[in-house]
Amino acid sequence: MSHSETHPQVSYLEYQGKYKGILGWLTTTDHKRIALLYMYCIVVFFFVAAILGLTMSIEKMRPGQDIMNAQTYNGLFTVHGIIMIFMIVIPGLAAVFGNFALPLLIGARDVAFPKLNLFSWYLYVIGAILAVLSQLLKGGAPDTGWTFYVPYSAGSSTNVIWALTAAFILGFSNILTGLNFIVTIHRMRAPGMTWFKMPLFPWSLYATAWIQVLATPIVGITLLMVIAERVLHIGFFDPALGGDPVLFQHLFWIYSHPAVYIMILPAMGVITEIFPTFSQKPVFGYGAIAISSLAIAFVGYFVWGHHMFTSGISYWSKWFFSFLTFIVAVPSAIKVFNWISTMYGGSIQMRPPLLYAISFVFLFMIGGFTGLFLGALATNVQLHDTTFVVAHFHYIIFGGMGFAFFAAIHYWYPKMYGKMYSDRWAYIAWGFTFVGFNLLYFPQFIIGVQGMPRRYFDYLPQFQWGHMLSGFGAFILLIGLILMAWNLIYHVKRGAIAPANPWKGVTLEWQIASPPTLENFEEIPVIKHNPYWFGTEEEIKREKKSVTRNT
Amino acid sequence: MAEIKNIAPSEHHDYQGSKMGMWLFIFTELFLFGGLFLVYAVFRTQYSADFHKAAEETNTFIGTLNTVVLLISSMTVAMSITAIQSNQKGRAIRLLLVTLVLASVFMVNKYFEWGHKFELKLYPGSEVLTNLPKGELLFFGLYFMMTGLHAIHVLVGMILLTVTIFRIKSGHIHTGNFSMIENSGLYWHLVDLIWIFLFPMMYLIT
Ligand SMILES: [Cu+2]
């Protein structure tokens, strides 16, 4: 398949290899097609899990039992969590937009191991099927919460093993994606693209990929240990047999805290691509953003204990984990300042991707600050296991990763499909989504501080106002999401033709056709500038002179 | 930047890249076992007397034998890679076959070792084991889980080496393209390396 054989005019969407139609998609090794395969799965599961979330909100609009019983509720929040965390948020941005944009951004024809890439997708599908089966099979949906805490998960009579196996396989798929990206970034950058001439989304994917590779195996073995606990009564986590449930929490969070950065780092990367494009100005503090990604990934390994302040760990380890939790906020804040400064003095175009990106910054900051409340030892004791925690992580994960996903799809959509969506409907959908989101989660901060516990099926009447508002918020949010999906799906066929560079972006993906050809680049570009270099022709000339003077 | 190469994967084979990928995969395997090593360390500290007693139950002779067998098999794999590099196809295949035989010897030994434990009713969930002191129970839990997971890796390694033999026969692996045999070799060394840690933890430190 040398690129001279492929017709340059045919896009990757129309290209026909060995197989036609759906089989062509299922056997594709093209990074762009695999990205879309991931995206379709993720969008479907997202709506399933969102509707589960909605039913939970409806149930809680009034105290007492309304539309489901307590066991169903336990199953629902577990299923909601497992689908959202393991099937959407953790793989989401890296698998969809990493796959789609990484090779384009670094000037490569594909990822390093295209077959392995397809294999990861199949693993993802197998894991997803197991997760869905765990809900439907006899025995009942798992009711442990997505964290699978022992000793309850070792004893619960529901289909916990299926869910554990699903999470294990999904994790494996994730590891292979990370591995693929690390090698791709090391080996396949276009000639002249040194590390510090690489765009910042690849930088964030690089940091993420190391977490995927180095942290995921730990949760893999931990899940295997829980399976062994259930099947063989091996006793590592069972106090009756000499084991230690807190040990499980350590092992689980050694992975699952860094996993938060698997979710949020690519989100930050996407946002970093969007700000310079819509400000028509180089990103502010390129080096600081690149290095802070690595710093977050590194420090993020050593903060897992902040999930266990009330589980009985020693004073000094609490102190240590709390301190590092505060430290890890610093590189995140650096990024926020850089994004804002990028807009300063730029010529800002408030198109939908930028609107979502700005919302990301706003929501992520609320999520980040409330994270500090939880990271502080004294307030943590009060707030632990209340809806304050629920609100905090939904602001980070939905307000952060979710809104970054929306920003990314609105940003790269013209490149993916070669069509434009309607800006107008994108703004309207944004309005519903943004208002609905805040209405859904903000009240939970307040009732959380007042003492409303999380994961409770029933509550005292004084918390009803909060749950009521949340319920309305959930409806508004869902309307926004449906509008957004409709706007995007409808315009795949009927949208206006997108130019190669609709946003006047300067990174490499905007210099090729929309949608790209199978091999992306007719000729691999040679990189001379920083990735966010908005030069006029005159400047380009001047720059060339200074380069010759320097050398 | 002269050292940055761009090689589209469909056109050329990126030798460095495939090796880097294998090393990363090996890291993940080490971390997978690392979780169990961590659990071992925690319980060893907590129940050192029980661990001392339980470790005397394991058969040091078979353990040592298996260590020697695996070390030799690692050597034969390395020799086979050298053979491919110097274009000795037949020799490379023979050496890989020797490796497979050694791996089978390891598995047979393992089978007898586990069989003996089962005869003594020392298997997870058994009544005998449940009535032992807690530290000993945990030791045997770790013993079965760690050596079991390791045995699965031996089997995967054997499959990988078998595929490699067929690919040498079919001419896919040759002097100019030997990254597959190198990568299977790396995997086999990983299997060996993990055993080198398991051996003292389970058999020697009593
Ligand atoms: Cu955390």
Side-chain angles (χ1 to χ4, degrees):
Chain A
M1 258 206 312
S2 106
H3 67 117
S4 52
E5 283 166 35
T6 39
H7 200 275
Q9 304 300 323
V10 177
S11 81
Y12 78 101
L13 292 170
E14 291 155 355
Y15 176 81
Q16 227 172 55
K18 235 196 266 101
Y19 302 100
K20 276 187 205 168
I22 193 123
L23 213 58
W25 281 83
L26 292 178
T27 55
T28 183
T29 53
D30 178 29
H31 67 101
K32 303 179 285 301
R33 284 193 166 199
I34 292 173
L36 294 189
L37 288 176
Y38 270 114
M39 187 165 79
Y40 300 145
C41 295
I42 282 174
V43 168
V44 169
F45 287 125
F46 175 73
F47 273 98
V48 171
I51 287 167
L52 298 182
L54 176 74
T55 54
M56 277 150 63
S57 293
I58 296 172
E59 165 57 41
K60 288 208 290 186
M61 282 172 88
R62 282 189 311 178
Q65 179 171 335
D66 297 313
I67 57 168
M68 63 181 83
N69 62 28
Q71 182 61 25
T72 314
Y73 181 83
N74 290 348
L76 274 186
F77 76 66
T78 304
V79 178
H80 170 83
I82 291 173
I83 295 184
M84 284 293 193
I85 297 284
F86 291 109
M87 283 151 73
I88 293 157
V89 183
I90 290 181
L93 281 163
V96 178
F97 298 104
N99 259 323
F100 185 81
L102 172 65
L104 301 181
L105 280 164
I106 62 171
R109 297 217 152 93
D110 206 322
V111 292
F113 308 114
K115 281 184 201 153
L116 188 69
N117 204 13
L118 182 65
F119 180 63
S120 319
W121 181 74
Y122 275 103
L123 280 180
Y124 172 84
V125 172
I126 293 170
I129 290 173
L130 285 179
V132 171
L133 279 181
S134 80
Q135 321 309 322
L136 305 175
L137 286 176
K138 213 172 77 182
D143 55 355
T144 59
W146 74 274
T147 50
F148 301 116
Y149 265 28
V150 288
Y152 187 68
S153 63
S156 167
S157 62
T158 54
N159 300 325
V160 180
I161 289 191
W162 290 81
L164 289 167
T165 315
F168 180 80
I169 293 175
L170 289 167
F172 196 42
S173 150
N174 220 307
I175 289 177
L176 295 180
T177 304
L179 186 154
N180 219 334
F181 284 2
I182 294 179
V183 179
T184 307
I185 291 172
H186 270 275
R187 301 292 305 162
M188 301 183 64
R189 282 169 290 138
M193 186 181 278
T194 57
W195 282 94
F196 285 96
K197 280 189 184 141
M198 184 165 75
L200 288 161
F201 184 47
W203 263 106
S204 73
L205 286 172
Y206 185 68
T208 309
W210 275 107
I211 309 179
Q212 288 173 319
V213 167
L214 296 185
T216 318
I218 306 279
V219 82
I221 193 70
T222 311
L223 298 176
L224 283 184
M225 284 189 249
V226 179
I227 293 176
E229 188 93 31
R230 285 181 68 95
V231 182
L232 306 170
H233 307 286
I234 226 158
F236 297 158
F237 306 131
D238 184 355
L241 298 175
D244 185 356
V246 177
L247 184 60
F248 169 84
Q249 295 184 21
H250 276 293
L251 288 168
F252 183 81
W253 290 112
I254 284 177
Y255 163 74
S256 296
H257 185 82
V260 174
Y261 297 110
I262 296 180
M263 307 166 191
I264 205 69
L265 275 170
M268 293 167 156
V270 167
I271 300 305
T272 314
E273 295 297 325
I274 290 174
F275 273 108
T277 300
F278 292 93
S279 310
Q280 290 292 299
K281 190 170 158 274
V283 71
F284 181 87
Y286 171 93
I289 296 181
I291 298 300
S292 64
S293 289
L294 295 182
I296 289 176
F298 181 74
V299 183
Y301 271 106
F302 305 102
V303 300
W304 77 83
H306 64 211
H307 295 271
M308 303 165 59
F309 288 155
T310 58
S311 304
I313 54 174
S314 72
Y315 170 75
W316 280 107
S317 55
K318 277 187 209 167
W319 185 92
F320 175 79
F321 283 123
S322 176
F323 175 74
L324 284 175
T325 303
F326 277 81
I327 295 292
V328 84
V330 174
S332 307
I334 289 177
K335 283 179 192 271
V336 170
F337 287 123
N338 282 314
W339 294 324
I340 306 298
S341 313
T342 302
M343 288 200 291
Y344 180 77
S347 79
I348 295 172
Q349 265 196 307
M350 194 58 91
R351 302 294 291 274
L354 184 63
L355 189 59
Y356 278 108
I358 291 175
S359 324
F360 165 92
V361 175
F362 178 77
L363 300 174
F364 178 71
M365 268 168 51
I366 296 179
F369 281 131
T370 50
L372 293 179
F373 290 64
L374 293 166
L377 289 176
T379 43
N380 179 276
V381 178
Q382 155 80 11
L383 297 174
H384 184 84
D385 257 345
T386 66
T387 56
F388 188 91
V389 179
V390 178
H392 156 70
F393 75 66
H394 279 89
Y395 265 85
I396 291 285
I397 289 173
F398 194 166
M401 185 278 175
F403 272 72
F405 194 95
F406 304 149
I409 181 71
H410 284 88
Y411 183 55
W412 280 306
Y413 180 92
K415 189 54 64 186
M416 283 177 160
Y417 295 103
K419 295 289 172 61
M420 299 301 287
Y421 49 82
S422 147
D423 270 25
R424 189 162 196 255
W425 281 104
Y427 293 135
I428 296 171
W430 172 85
F432 278 98
T433 311
F434 188 77
V435 171
F437 174 86
N438 283 294
L439 196 58
L440 169 53
Y441 294 113
F442 203 84
Q444 300 193 10
F445 280 127
I446 302 168
I447 54 175
V449 173
Q450 291 168 348
M452 171 70 213
R454 70 191 282 209
R455 291 178 167 174
Y456 271 35
F457 169 71
D458 201 359
Y459 51 83
L460 296 172
Q462 72 248 37
F463 299 125
Q464 198 192 349
W465 69 272
H467 289 297
M468 200 51 135
L469 284 181
S470 280
F472 288 127
F475 274 108
I476 299 173
L477 177 61
L478 198 68
I479 292 171
L481 294 173
I482 291 169
L483 282 178
M484 188 196 305
W486 172 82
N487 182 26
L488 295 172
I489 294 167
Y490 179 82
H491 289 98
V492 168
K493 281 254 158 68
R494 268 164 265 208
I497 302 285
N501 190 357
W503 320 120
K504 299 202 206 84
V506 289
T507 38
L508 289 175
E509 81 272 35
W510 304 113
Q511 319 310 323
I512 55 174
S514 297
T517 56
L518 183 72
E519 305 247 301
N520 303 340
F521 298 92
E522 272 301 286
E523 217 173 295
I524 297 295
V526 177
I527 309 301
K528 296 197 186 77
H529 307 292
N530 277 322
Y532 307 101
W533 193 72
F534 290 82
T536 60
E537 261 171 58
E538 211 176 298
E539 278 176 315
I540 295 170
K541 269 183 208 155
R542 216 183 305 143
E543 198 241 10
K544 269 184 188 155
K545 266 184 214 156
S546 75
V547 167
T548 32
R549 225 182 301 130
N550 288 344
T551 49
Chain B
M1 293 298 287
E3 69 268 17
I4 297 172
K5 286 190 197 114
N6 189 289
I7 302 161
S10 48
E11 293 168 28
H12 296 278
H13 185 78
D14 182 4
Y15 170 73
Q16 291 276 330
S18 80
K19 243 184 147 173
M20 184 187 266
M22 195 62 207
W23 274 106
L24 287 169
F25 186 70
I26 284 174
F27 284 163
T28 69
E29 292 278 18
L30 288 175
F31 273 78
L32 190 80
F33 277 92
L36 282 168
F37 288 167
L38 204 71
V39 172
Y40 178 93
V42 168
F43 289 138
R44 168 123 225 153
T45 322
Q46 207 173 336
Y47 301 100
S48 40
D50 287 349
F51 266 55
H52 169 81
K53 223 179 130 232
E56 281 178 343
E57 285 289 319
T58 54
N59 190 329
T60 316
F61 174 71
I62 296 191
T64 315
L65 186 68
N66 265 348
T67 310
V68 174
V69 166
L70 268 193
L71 280 175
I72 295 174
S73 76
S74 250
M75 184 182 75
T76 52
V77 164
M79 284 165 72
S80 156
I81 296 171
T82 319
I84 277 289
Q85 284 167 337
S86 53
N87 209 8
Q88 294 165 287
K89 227 170 110 175
R91 187 179 149 85
I93 292 176
R94 278 197 300 281
L95 281 162
L96 286 182
L97 286 173
V98 173
T99 314
L100 281 179
V101 170
L102 289 168
S104 313
V105 170
F106 179 91
M107 290 305 284
V108 169
N109 280 342
K110 193 96 264 168
Y111 172 78
F112 282 118
E113 206 187 345
W114 275 38
H116 184 63
K117 294 274 176 316
F118 275 75
E119 263 169 42
L120 295 174
K121 301 252 184 303
L122 283 172
Y123 53 85
S126 78
E127 218 170 292
V128 178
L129 199 62
T130 322
N131 290 329
L132 283 178
K134 283 173 180 171
E136 292 190 42
L137 184 151
L138 290 169
F139 178 88
F140 284 109
L142 278 164
Y143 168 81
F144 280 108
M145 188 136 181
M146 290 172 109
T147 57
L149 194 63
H150 178 260
I152 292 174
H153 279 75
V154 173
L155 287 177
V156 172
M158 286 171 76
I159 294 170
L160 216 57
L161 291 174
T162 313
V163 174
T164 310
I165 290 175
F166 281 107
R167 302 214 87 189
I168 296 176
K169 271 194 181 155
S170 68
H172 278 95
I173 299 172
H174 50 80
T175 353
N177 179 9
F178 49 83
S179 58
M180 162 131 193
I181 186 173
E182 267 200 338
N183 284 342
S184 337
L186 273 178
Y187 189 84
W188 193 253
H189 295 322
L190 166 83
V191 169
D192 195 4
L193 177 77
I194 290 171
W195 180 257
I196 298 288
F197 280 90
L198 290 184
F199 174 53
M201 282 162 66
M202 293 297 166
Y203 300 85
L204 293 186
I205 314 173
T206 57

